[in-house]
Amino acid sequence: MPPLHRFRSTNENFPSRLTTATLGPLRLAECVTPPGESYRDEALARSVNRELCQIDLILDGHVTVEQNGNRAQLSPNDLVVINPARPVHVLSTATTNVTIISPRKLLRLSSGELDRISATRIRGDSGPGAVAASLMRNLVQASADFSPRQAERTVPILADLIAVALTEDDSASRSAADQLYARIIAHIDSHLMDSDLSPASIAAAHFISVRRLHQIFQKHPHTVAALIRERRLEQCRRDLADPANDALPVAAIGARWGLSPPAHFNRLFKTAYGYTPGQARLSR
């Protein structure tokens, strides 16, 4: 877990408990802590992998988190995202919370996006936050029953749901460009099977120029074309891992998601994952 300095609790008899687990690339923890104050300074922050992201769900108690000029006051069912590679200050009552430490790229968050949304309250009682909260609540205990294959299939779905909760809850405060970016991502995800999906078709659907589309993507990790390719490949990998698709030829799965001819699909898949689509199916 990312390191924190902690001030001594005023109640020395309060029990503390830390239960940890893993689910694929995710590190999980359920923490029971006494009332107190903790912080991460610049020195500690420098020791943390900058490619990680921390998501906390408050199960019991009240927490105040300050980071990057933001301040979140949290109650049970609230979620908060924290950049573990930045200084942070936390003040809490006796608290129980669930923590997920995830690779930032799994949540498709740039470092700038993570800093913008860190230490902002995300409601876990409605909308996407409620779905994420319900999945996180018993995740530490449930993860023990997942096989490696089940974990591989579950983690991307869980990450997508959490990413929606993190990036959509504060839509009122986002810039017009951020809101347009979110709509474009949703458009891409819903049109991955369209063979003519392209920067030109996306720009036309949102009444902007292709040049403006590329400008919007400049502050994000992927270009438009790279994002389309990555998400299509991930859908193909999920289909190849599903026995329900065993009767479907590998090339047909690629074509279903707009990746053809077969040689092109094989080359892209192997470049992305280090093995061919056929090997992905056989290695289940």
Side-chain angles (χ1 to χ4, degrees):
M1 303 300 292
L4 286 170
H5 294 299
R6 184 166 179 85
F7 297 129
R8 187 175 182 177
S9 171
T10 56
N11 185 347
E12 295 183 1
N13 295 320
F14 190 94
S16 298
R17 184 177 72 249
L18 177 66
T19 306
T20 62
T22 60
L23 185 66
L26 305 180
R27 283 181 273 166
L28 315 173
E30 184 172 308
C31 311
V32 178
T33 57
E37 190 171 6
S38 55
Y39 69 94
R40 181 182 306 116
D41 57 17
E42 290 282 0
L44 279 182
R46 284 195 293 271
S47 70
V48 181
N49 183 344
R50 301 182 67 84
E51 297 305 313
L52 297 178
C53 176
Q54 176 179 339
I55 305 99
D56 286 357
L57 167 66
I58 309 303
L59 299 179
D60 188 43
H62 298 273
V63 181
T64 300
V65 180
E66 295 179 331
Q67 187 174 59
N68 298 319
N70 297 330
R71 186 172 188 268
Q73 293 184 303
L74 310 168
S75 300
N77 291 322
D78 287 341
L79 298 103
V80 66
V81 60
I82 297 172
N83 187 341
R86 292 271 195 262
V88 65
H89 179 249
V90 181
L91 181 66
S92 68
T93 65
T95 305
T96 302
N97 70 279
V98 173
T99 294
I100 295 178
I101 304 296
S102 169
R104 179 163 51 82
K105 67 179 182 180
L106 191 62
L107 301 173
R108 301 187 180 97
L109 288 174
S110 68
S111 59
E113 287 175 311
L114 179 55
D115 283 340
R116 178 179 60 78
I117 65 175
S118 64
T120 57
R121 175 179 177 248
I122 299 169
R123 295 186 57 172
D125 59 358
S126 63
V131 178
S134 66
L135 293 173
M136 289 178 61
R137 189 173 302 279
N138 299 306
L139 192 58
V140 175
Q141 292 78 16
S143 63
D145 297 324
F146 280 74
S147 68
R149 179 171 169 271
Q150 289 171 329
E152 181 181 5
R153 295 181 63 192
T154 301
V155 165
I157 299 171
L158 177 62
D160 283 347
L161 289 170
I162 292 175
V164 170
L166 297 184
T167 57
E168 295 298 320
D169 197 75
D170 67 333
S171 59
S173 64
R174 290 184 300 161
S175 70
D178 288 336
Q179 295 183 47
L180 178 56
Y181 176 78
R183 291 197 298 272
I184 289 170
I185 295 301
H187 175 88
I188 290 172
D189 285 341
S190 63
H191 290 79
L192 287 175
M193 289 185 173
D194 296 351
S195 59
D196 60 350
L197 182 66
S198 67
S201 70
I202 295 167
H206 293 85
F207 306 100
I208 58 175
S209 67
V210 173
R211 179 181 180 184
R212 175 58 180 151
L213 177 68
H214 289 310
Q215 287 176 339
I216 291 170
F217 273 74
Q218 281 179 352
K219 68 175 184 178
H220 300 282
H222 296 93
T223 64
V224 182
L227 180 66
I228 294 171
R229 181 170 60 249
E230 179 186 89
R231 297 206 172 185
R232 281 175 164 169
L233 286 170
E234 188 57 36
Q235 293 293 342
C236 290
R237 187 166 71 158
R238 292 181 188 179
D239 282 358
L240 290 166
D242 188 347
N245 294 315
D246 281 353
L248 199 62
V250 168
I253 289 178
R256 169 194 284 176
W257 294 106
L259 296 175
S260 58
H264 175 66
F265 173 42
N266 285 345
R267 184 170 59 255
L268 289 178
F269 196 96
K270 187 171 184 179
T271 299
Y273 302 117
Y275 47 84
T276 66
Q279 290 170 332
R281 172 173 278 175
L282 292 173
S283 66
R284 290 203 305 260

